[in-house]
Amino acid sequence: MIGTLAHAAWRKSSYSTDAEACVEVADDLPGIVPVRDSKNPFRTALLIPHRAWASFVTAVSADTLTA
């Protein structure tokens, strides 16, 4: 997986608001969505299953995310 992430196409999330809250995601890997802090790109990325990421994005978009 490390080699795969080294070549991932990272992009800043559209939900990042400023330099203090920058999240990057890579959409081009089958089955997972890596997520990382753009201020620390060499730290370990979170690997989120695609289905869980889709549910999360849907909840954020609909403003139905609960704690």
Side-chain angles (χ1 to χ4, degrees):
M1 184 59 62
I2 297 298
T4 302
L5 293 181
H7 299 290
W10 294 96
R11 67 172 178 83
K12 183 177 173 183
S13 170
S14 60
Y15 290 97
S16 292
T17 56
D18 56 31
E20 296 300 316
C22 295
V23 173
E24 292 181 328
V25 297
D27 299 323
D28 57 343
L29 299 172
I32 62 165
V33 178
V35 180
R36 71 180 183 184
D37 180 350
S38 65
K39 294 180 299 300
N40 296 301
F42 298 106
R43 296 192 70 179
T44 303
L46 297 173
L47 302 178
I48 312 297
H50 186 267
R51 188 172 277 177
W53 182 254
S55 295
F56 171 73
V57 170
T58 298
V60 170
S61 297
D63 197 25
T64 59
L65 188 65
T66 59

